[in-house]
Amino acid sequence: MNAEETARDIESMKIRGAGRIARAGVEAMKHHALSYKGSDLDGFQKEMQEARDVVVNSRPTAISLWNGLQSALKGLEKVTDVEEGKKLVSSNADLFVRDSLQAMDRIGQMGSRRISDGDTVLTHCNSHAAISVIKTAHAQGKRIKVYATESRPWRQGILTVNELAKEGIDVTLIIDGAVRSVMRKVNIVLVGADTITSSGVLINKIGTSQIALAAQEARVPFLVCSETYKFSPKTLFGDLVHIEERDAGEIVKEGEIPSSVKVFNPVFDATPPEYIDTIVTEIGLIPPFAAYEVIVKKLGSDYVFDNME
Ligand code: RUB
């Protein structure tokens, strides 16, 4: 798919989840580069930047998309002809997708060490990084139970329970409001991430911060499963994370409530680092307060400074 089609599918949530939108965005860059006709290098570089902007603006909150697109175009300003540029974007994209899938597997392996036989896990929305941990623990023969939240208004929890049930995992769907009621039966909470700021704040599906509160009250460990490309270099330079607000029609049908009633539909929220026990990444389990180190060391100071705009 080209950049415009990919952006449309991300915006309409046909493609969703921080990891998947990043991989789809990167694939779109590859497609866009390979289908460029002509030999004008300036034109090629300009078109790639424009394609990047179209995709990056399709969903504003997940830094994974921005980081992915930056990786796909890394070094493009240094190429000497269009063919070289095409090859570069194509191999950057392949590398990102490969590393992203590998990271998810590693997160599964490492996170599963924190799950014991007989544990009950609670997860929110539909995070493939969190699901990777659950599936890995199950594959290791651990008998686990899972509570999965419905995640209004898009009900991504339906995807999660279908995916886990297919693996033969004992899974129970709950409405979002039932989290505190079930928390006393839960041993560990696993959620994904759209963005992690340099100060260790987690931005994830709306409702995540309430789950963290309930977990802390019940003294249940709250773990975030996140590839390092979900850490935000932008926040290091003072950018605030923009929390996407979506249409009222996702919550109420036309005519269901008086037109004088306002509807507020933020789709992500912020969980402070004090509520997070650890972040499971592909480079290890790190405390949220080490987010700054991850951004600088893993993404690299060159990367950070080159990509500030
Ligand atoms: C999905 C969501 C997920 C993260 C991580 O929100 O908040 O927890 O994106 O997902 P939406 P993953 O459905 O609005 O995209 O671990 O799969 O990257």
Side-chain angles (χ1 to χ4, degrees):
M1 277 197 300
N2 68 28
E4 286 76 18
E5 288 162 342
T6 304
R8 260 200 308 277
D9 282 358
I10 292 175
E11 203 171 339
S12 68
M13 291 186 51
K14 198 167 164 191
I15 306 172
R16 45 146 303 281
R20 277 158 290 173
I21 62 174
R23 289 190 293 276
V26 160
E27 298 278 18
M29 289 301 103
K30 176 177 170 179
H31 179 279
H32 216 85
L34 295 179
S35 45
Y36 184 80
K37 305 259 180 295
S39 56
D40 168 22
L41 181 59
D42 283 350
F44 175 67
Q45 286 164 328
K46 195 160 163 268
E47 197 167 313
M48 291 310 297
Q49 293 297 338
E50 283 168 5
R52 180 196 75 163
D53 293 345
V54 167
V55 176
V56 89
N57 290 328
S58 59
R59 273 201 100 181
T61 302
I63 197 68
S64 55
L65 185 55
W66 188 84
N67 276 334
L69 297 173
Q70 293 301 106
S71 302
L73 301 192
K74 195 172 177 199
L76 192 61
E77 68 292 347
K78 293 187 192 119
V79 299
T80 51
D81 61 49
V82 171
E83 277 319 302
E84 194 190 336
K86 286 183 175 185
K87 275 195 200 124
L88 179 85
V89 175
S90 172
S91 71
N92 281 349
D94 290 346
L95 204 68
F96 180 85
V97 171
R98 191 204 66 188
D99 288 353
S100 162
L101 295 171
Q102 249 174 28
M104 210 154 59
D105 286 347
R106 281 178 176 220
I107 288 170
Q109 290 296 333
M110 286 192 258
S112 68
R113 295 191 183 136
R114 295 292 297 269
I115 298 186
S116 307
D117 190 28
D119 270 357
T120 298
V121 179
L122 185 140
T123 190
H124 185 45
C125 193
N126 178 250
S127 155
H128 271 122
I131 287 174
S132 172
V133 174
I134 296 169
K135 281 187 182 170
T136 309
H138 173 74
Q140 289 163 348
K142 293 171 185 164
R143 285 157 297 178
I144 50 173
K145 288 187 179 153
V146 178
Y147 283 109
T149 57
E150 179 191 17
S151 310
R152 279 274 290 151
W154 272 80
R155 307 184 77 221
Q156 292 94 328
I158 302 294
L159 298 171
T160 300
V161 295
N162 273 306
E163 225 173 310
L164 296 180
K166 211 161 87 191
E167 298 292 316
I169 297 171
D170 178 347
V171 58
T172 305
L173 180 69
I174 57 169
I175 58 165
D176 302 332
V179 163
R180 191 162 176 245
S181 299
V182 303
M183 196 54 88
R184 64 195 161 77
K185 299 183 198 153
V186 171
N187 303 99
I188 188 165
V189 174
L190 298 173
V191 297
D194 281 84
T195 293
I196 294 173
T197 73
S198 57
S199 53
V201 175
L202 163 69
I203 312 295
N204 191 48
K205 179 53 56 193
I206 191 79
T208 301
S209 65
Q210 288 178 184
I211 297 174
L213 262 175
Q216 191 169 75
E217 179 193 46
R219 296 176 189 278
V220 172
F222 181 92
L223 271 65
V224 179
C225 306
S226 172
E227 299 85 341
T228 50
Y229 64 82
K230 292 172 184 165
F231 287 66
S232 170
K234 285 186 166 199
T235 58
L236 202 58
F237 296 101
D239 277 19
L240 293 173
V241 180
H242 176 77
I243 303 285
E244 179 185 2
E245 281 174 39
R246 292 182 69 93
D247 201 73
E250 293 184 348
I251 300 183
V252 280
K253 292 191 205 83
E254 180 99 44
E256 211 174 10
I257 53 171
S259 58
S260 59
V261 176
K262 296 185 271 303
V263 175
F264 177 46
N265 182 19
V267 294
F268 299 102
D269 68 16
T271 302
E274 295 80 9
Y275 292 86
I276 299 168
D277 285 88
T278 190
I279 306 176
V280 187
T281 76
E282 74 277 18
I283 56 167
L285 272 64
I286 64 143
F289 292 106
Y292 164 83
E293 304 270 335
V294 171
I295 294 170
V296 173
K297 285 203 182 117
K298 166 75 184 162
L299 300 177
S301 50
D302 287 351
Y303 175 90
V304 172
F305 290 107
D306 286 353
N307 292 286
M308 252 193 80
E309 99 254 20

